[in-house]
C-alpha cells in the first residue's frame, strides 16, 4: 500500500509538526503580499531615517513635512517635522472621497448576535455629528476626553470625533474599576467623559454606568458626561444634570459638517495609561503624524492589510492593540475592521470561528492566551466552521509557546497561513519585532528579526551587544516614528523609566540615547529575537500588563493586612497569573472572609483582570539579609519550580512554611 500525504494518519502528521522548528511562508501568500522583497531591510538601513517616508506616504498630509526626524534634543525626538494632518480625515474623508463611501468600515457584532455595519460614509456622518456635539459641550482643541466604553461602535466613533476636533482621547478599558477611572481622569485633568449604560458579558447585561458614576465621585473636578444607551430596556438608567444622551446629541447634530482640524504632526493624538513599576499608572503620549504613519505602515507591511480585506483583531480597544490595530491602522488603510462585543465562549466555544466564517475574515490577530484557551477547549470547535477565508494569522501581547503556535497554525490556519508573532508595547505605538509574512521563515516561539528601520539589539548589563545564542536585555538603539513622545506632563519620569538604564543622559548626541523596554530577550544565529518577558515588577496576565505595586497597595489597603508581596506565577492559559502573599496584622485570622475581602479590594482598585489566582497567608516574607523581599523565590514557589539555595536568606525557615501553604488549602 502506498501512502499519500493525505492518507497520513493524524498522529503522524501531529508528530511531524511537533518536530518542525521552522516554517516557510506559503508561495500563494508571498505572491500577493504587500511586502515581499527582502531588499527592504537593506533599503531601510541605507536610507535611514528617510526610509520612514514610506510610512508617511500612506497618509494624506494637509501640509508637507520638512525633516523626517529632528533628533537635536534627545530623547525628545520629533518626526515629520512641521507636517500637518488630521487622523479622522485620514481614516474617513479621504476614503469617502476616493470612492469607498459604500465600503464597510466597521462590521460589529453584539454578544446577543445583533449586527451593525458602518460604511465609510456612515462612519464619517456619525463622527461629524458627534464631533459637532462635543464641540457644543465645550470640548476644545487639546482638551483630554476620557472614553470609558466597552466594545461598541460608539467607541471608535468617539475616538475619531475627538481626533477630528484635535481633542486627545484617553480610553480607559471598560473592565477597569471605578477607582482606576478616577485616577486616570484626575491625572489627565480630563473634564469630559463618554461612557454607556452597560454591555453584555456571557449573556448578562452588565451595569457599566454604576461603575462610571462611582468613578466620577472620585474625580476632583467638574465633568461633562455623555452616556451611550447600549442596553435599551434591558437596563434603565438615569441621566444626571451634567449627563447627556449620546443618541440625542447625534440626532441634534445630524448632518453637521465639521472641518477636520489640521494638527501638527507632533500634536498629541491620544493618551493611554499603562502600568509601571510604581503604583502610579503612566500616561503614554502618542502623536498624530508619527503614530498614525507607524500604525498604518505596520498594518500594511506586517498584517498585509488591503482595502478589500475583512480584517479582525480580536482585542479590546481599551488597550493599545485595539487603538493601533482595530481602529487607526486598518481604517487609515481603508479596510473593513471587525468588532465583537463579547467573549469567545459565549454562547459556545466556537463563537469566534463562527464570526470568521460568516464575515469571511481574511486576517485574524489575537493573543497567545486566547490561543491556549482554544487549544484547551479542543479542535472540534474550529472544525465546525469553514475557516478557508483566512490568509494570515497574528499574535501579540506575550510570548507564544511553540505548541500553541503550531496548534494555531494547523487548526486555525489549516497550515496555509503565515503567523506573525509581533512584539511591541503601549509605548512603541506599533509592532517592532516580527517576521514579515511575505519574506521571512517563521520559527515558532521566536518573534523574529526587528522590522526594517528598527534598531532592536539584545545587550548585557553593561549595554554591550551580546553574541548569538545568549540572553540579555532588549534595547532599541534608534528612534522610530510610533514611539511615545513622553509620559504626560512628566518628562522626568519618561527619561528615568525608559532611557536612564542604557543612555548617557548628559549627552545631546542622539546615538547615546538607548530605549529600554524592560524585557529580557535571546538572540539566535539568524538574528531572530525570542522575548523572555519583563524584567521589571510588571506581570503579564493574559497579555495585559499589571504592576505588582498597584496590586500590593490595593491589598495593603484591606483592613487587617500588614504587608503584601505580589508576583507572577506560571499559568497554563493566562501565561502568568497573580499570586499574592499577605501578612496579617496581629490578632487577624487568615479566614476565607479575609481572602474574599482582599480579592474584592483588588477588584475595586484595578478590576477583575488583576484578581489574584491565590492569596497565600504567611507570617513572614522571605527576605535577604539586607531586608529585600526575595521576589524570585516567591515566583518560583508560585510556579512550583525547583527552589535554589535559600541559605542566604535572613529567614530561611519561612520558605518551607510558605511552600506548604501554596495550593495547600
Ligand atoms: C509587553 C507590553 C503590544 C500590545 C499588547 C501589550 C509583552 C508584547 C509580545 C510578544 C512576547 C510580548 C512584552 C512587552 N509582549 N508582545 N509578541 N512576545 N512578549 O502591550 O501592555 O504595553 O505590554 O507585553 O513583555 O513589554 P503592553
Amino acid at each position: 500500500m502506498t501512502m499519500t500525504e493525505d492518507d497520513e494518519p493524524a498522529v503522524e502528521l501531529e508528530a511531524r509538526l511537533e518536530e518542525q522548528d521552522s516554517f516557510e511562508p506559503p508561495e500563494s501568500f508571498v505572491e500577493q503580499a504587500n511586502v515581499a522583497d527582502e531588499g527592504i531591510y537593506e533599503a531601510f538601513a541605507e536610507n535611514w531615517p528617510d526610509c520612514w517616508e514610506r510610512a508617511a506616504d500612506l497618509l494624506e498630509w494637509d501640509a508637507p513635512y520638512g525633516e523626517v526626524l529632528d533628533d537635536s534634543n534627545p530623547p525628545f525626538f520629533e518626526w515629520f517635522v512641521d507636517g500637518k494632518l488630521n487622523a479622522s480625515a485620514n481614516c474617513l474623508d479621504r476614503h469617502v472621497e476616493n470612492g469607498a463611501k459604500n465600503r464597510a468600515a466597521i462590521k460589529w457584532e453584539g454578544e446577543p448576535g445583533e449586527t451593525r455595519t458602518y460604511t465609510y460614509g456612515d462612519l464619517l456622518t456619525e463622527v461629524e455629528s458627534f464631533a459637532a456635539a462635543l464641540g457644543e459641550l465645550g470640548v476644545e482643541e487639546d482638551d483630554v476626553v476620557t472614553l470609558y466604553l466597552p466594545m461598541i461602535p460608539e467607541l471608535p466613533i468617539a475616538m475619531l470625533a475627538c481626533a477630528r476636533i484635535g481633542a486627545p482621547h484617553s480610553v480607559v478599558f471598560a473592565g477597569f474599576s471605578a477607582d482606576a477611572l478616577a485616577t486616570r481622569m484626575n491625572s489627565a485633568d480630563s473634564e469630559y467623559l463618554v461612557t454607556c449604560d452597560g454591555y453584555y458579558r456571557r449573556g448578562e447585561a452588565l451595569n457599566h454606568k454604576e461603575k462610571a458614576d462611582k468613578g466620577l465621585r472620585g474625580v476632583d473636578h467638574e465633568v461633562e458626561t455623555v452616556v451611550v444607551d447600549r442596553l435599551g430596556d434591558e437596563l434603565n438608567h438615569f441621566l444626571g444634570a451634567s449627563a447627556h444622551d449620546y443618541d440625542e446629541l447625534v440626532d441634534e447634530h445630524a448632518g453637521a459638517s465639521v472641518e477636520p482640524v489640521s494638527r501638527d504632526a507632533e500634536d498629541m493624538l491620544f493618551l493611554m495609561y499603562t502600568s509601571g513599576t510604581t503604583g502610579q499608572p503612566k500616561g503614554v503620549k502618542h502623536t498624530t503624524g508619527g503614530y498614525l504613519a507607524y500604525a498604518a505602515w505596520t498594518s500594511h507591511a506586517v498584517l498585509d492589510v488591503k482595502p478589500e480585506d475583512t480584517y479582525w483583531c480580536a482585542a479590546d480597544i481599551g488597550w493599545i492593540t485595539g487603538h493601533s490595530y482595530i481602529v487607526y491602522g486598518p481604517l487609515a488603510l481603508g479596510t473593513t475592521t471587525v468588532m465583537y462585543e463579547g467573549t469567545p465562549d459565549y454562547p459556545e466555544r466556537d463563537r469566534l470561528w463562527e464570526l470568521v466564517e460568516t464575515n469571511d475574515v481574511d486576517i485574524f490577530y489575537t493573543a497567545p492566551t486566547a490561543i491556549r484557551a482554544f487549544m484547551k477547549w479542543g479542535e472540534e470547535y474550529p472544525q465546525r466552521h469553514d475557516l478557508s477565508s483566512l490568509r494570515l494569522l497574528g499574535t501579540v501581547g506575550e510570548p507564544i509557546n511553540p505548541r500553541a503556535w503550531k496548534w494555531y497554525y494547523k487548526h486555525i490556519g489549516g497550515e496555509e497561513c503565515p503567523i506573525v508573532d509581533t512584539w511591541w508595547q503601549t509605548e512603541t505605538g506599533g509592532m517592532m519585532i516580527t517576521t514579515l509574512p511575505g519574506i521571512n521563515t517563521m520559527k515558532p516561539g521566536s518573534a523574529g528579526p526587528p522590522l526594517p528601520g528598527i534598531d532592536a539589539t539584545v545587550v548585557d548589563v553593561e549595554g554591550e551587544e551580546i553574541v548569538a545564542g545568549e540572553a540579555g536585555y532588549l534595547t532599541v538603539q534608534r528612534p522610530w516614528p510610533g514611539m511615545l513622545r513622553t509620559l504626560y506632563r512628566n518628562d522626568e519620569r519618561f527619561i528615568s523609566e525608559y532611557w536612564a538604564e542604557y543612555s548617557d543622559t548628559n549627552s545631546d548626541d542622539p546615538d547615546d540615547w538607548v530605549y529600554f523596554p524592560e524585557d529580557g530577550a535571546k538572540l539566535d544565529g539568524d538574528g531572530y529575537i525570542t522575548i523572555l518577558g519583563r524584567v521589571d515588577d510588571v506581570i503579564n496576565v493574559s497579555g495585559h500588563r499589571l504592576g505588582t505595586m498597584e496590586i500590593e497597595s490595593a491589598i495593603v489597603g484591606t483592613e487587617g493586612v500588614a504587608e503584601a508581596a505580589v508576583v507572577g506565577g506560571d499559568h497554563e492559559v493566562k501565561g502568568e497569573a497573580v499570586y499574592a502573599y499577605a501578612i496579617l496584622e496581629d490578632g487577624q485570622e487568615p479566614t476565607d472572609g479575609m481572602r474574599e475581602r482582599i480579592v474584592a479590594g483588588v477588584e475595586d482598585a484595578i478590576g477583575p483582570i488583576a484578581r489574584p489566582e491565590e492569596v497565600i497567608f504567611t507570617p513572614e516574607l522571605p527576605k535577604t539579609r539586607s531586608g529585600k523581599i526575595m521576589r524570585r523565590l516567591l515566583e518560583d514557589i508560585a510556579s512550583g519550580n525547583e527552589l535554589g539555595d535559600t541559605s542566604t536568606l535572613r529567614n530561611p525557615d519561612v520558605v518551607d512554611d510558605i511552600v506548604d501553604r501554596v495550593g495547600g488549602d
Side-chain angles (χ1 to χ4, degrees), residues 377-662:
W377 298 341
E379 60 206 61
E380 62 191 274
Y381 297 101
Q383 266 164 14
R384 287 186 194 167
H385 298 279
D386 178 3
L387 305 181
S388 61
S389 60
L390 291 169
R391 176 174 93 240
L392 174 68
L393 301 174
T395 79
V396 57
E398 39 174 335
I400 182 163
N401 43 312
R403 215 162 75 82
W405 192 101
K406 289 175 188 179
W407 190 92
Y408 195 35
Y409 184 72
K410 177 163 189 246
H411 297 289
I412 307 303
E415 299 189 57
E416 284 178 348
C417 303
I419 296 179
V420 284
D421 171 0
T422 60
W423 176 88
W424 57 292
Q425 310 181 294
T426 304
E427 292 86 344
T428 68
M431 301 156 176
M432 302 285 281
I433 300 175
T434 168
T435 53
L436 283 169
I439 297 177
N440 306 112
T441 305
M442 296 164 270
K443 300 187 193 182
S446 175
L451 280 175
I454 299 298
D455 194 351
T457 308
V458 186
V459 302
D460 62 18
V461 241
E462 315 280 291
E464 295 303 321
E465 224 171 293
I466 56 130
V467 296
E470 302 218 325
Y473 301 97
L474 185 63
T475 60
V476 188
Q477 310 262 342
R478 271 177 171 181
W480 64 101
M483 69 196 301
L484 80 164
R485 295 305 192 264
T486 191
L487 291 177
Y488 193 50
R489 297 182 180 160
N490 204 340
D491 290 347
E492 231 165 87
R493 190 171 176 200
F494 170 61
I495 294 176
S496 67
E497 291 264 358
Y498 304 106
W499 304 93
E501 196 78 25
Y502 289 111
S503 309
D504 173 0
T505 52
N506 293 318
S507 166
D508 53 16
D509 178 351
D511 291 339
D512 290 334
W513 288 81
V514 174
Y515 174 83
F516 182 42
E518 309 211 63
D519 271 319
K522 227 171 71 187
L523 182 73
D524 79 6
D526 298 323
Y528 278 47
I529 294 174
T530 297
I531 306 296
L532 300 172
R534 305 283 306 192
V535 294
D536 57 357
D537 291 334
V538 162
I539 327 183
N540 190 331
V541 179
S542 304
H544 300 316
R545 197 202 288 195
L546 299 170
T548 50
M549 274 276 286
E550 281 174 81
I551 307 176
E552 283 165 7
S553 65
I555 296 177
V556 174
T558 310
E559 217 178 284
V561 179
E563 200 184 342
V566 163
V567 298
D570 296 341
H571 189 279
E572 197 193 340
V573 173
K574 300 175 185 173
E576 276 189 294
V578 175
Y579 284 80
Y581 296 86
I583 300 175
L584 299 180
E585 285 169 358
D586 283 348
Q588 294 287 338
E589 292 298 321
T591 58
D592 285 345
M594 175 61 86
R595 186 172 276 124
E596 278 158 27
R597 282 199 297 283
I598 289 176
V599 171
V602 172
E603 292 196 353
D604 282 349
I606 303 163
I609 40 161
R611 221 189 134 88
E613 191 73 15
E614 272 198 59
V615 178
I616 302 127
F617 293 114
T618 164
E620 268 181 86
L621 292 169
K623 288 189 178 160
T624 60
R625 295 239 159 81
S626 62
K628 268 187 74 176
I629 298 174
M630 283 280 282
R631 285 172 179 283
R632 181 53 59 80
L633 191 65
L634 292 173
E635 282 166 17
D636 284 338
I637 296 173
S639 303
N641 294 342
E642 197 79 38
L643 303 181
D645 181 17
T646 55
S647 61
T648 55
L649 289 177
R650 181 157 68 184
N651 49 356
D653 295 345
V654 75
V655 176
D656 289 339
D657 189 64
I658 297 178
V659 172
D660 285 344
R661 291 165 196 253
V662 174

Side-chain angles (χ1 to χ4, degrees), residues 356-372:
V356 168
E357 181 173 8
T358 52
N359 289 290
D360 278 324
V361 170
D362 297 277
I363 301 158
F364 181 73
Y365 189 34
T366 191
T369 193
I371 299 166
R372 288 191 295 264

Side-chain angles (χ1 to χ4, degrees), residues 301-314:
V302 181
L303 294 172
D304 200 49
V305 167
K306 300 174 170 64
E308 59 277 15
D309 282 334
T310 298
Y311 158 85
W312 185 16
C313 165

Side-chain angles (χ1 to χ4, degrees), residues 10 14 17 22 31 50 86 99 111 150-151 176 184 210 338 377 425 442 469 479 484 495 498 556 580 656:
E14 206 75 59
L17 201 61
S22 73
E31 277 164 14
D50 291 344
N86 180 281
E111 199 192 66
M151 287 292 285
F176 274 144
R184 286 158 179 75
E210 211 171 60
V338 174
W377 298 341
Q425 310 181 294
M442 296 164 270
L484 80 164
I495 294 176
Y498 304 106
V556 174
D656 289 339

Side-chain angles (χ1 to χ4, degrees), residues 103-118:
R103 185 188 304 146
I106 296 178
K107 277 187 160 182
W108 175 82
E109 186 161 319
E111 199 192 66
E114 79 271 47
T115 59
R116 274 197 250 165
T117 298
Y118 290 80

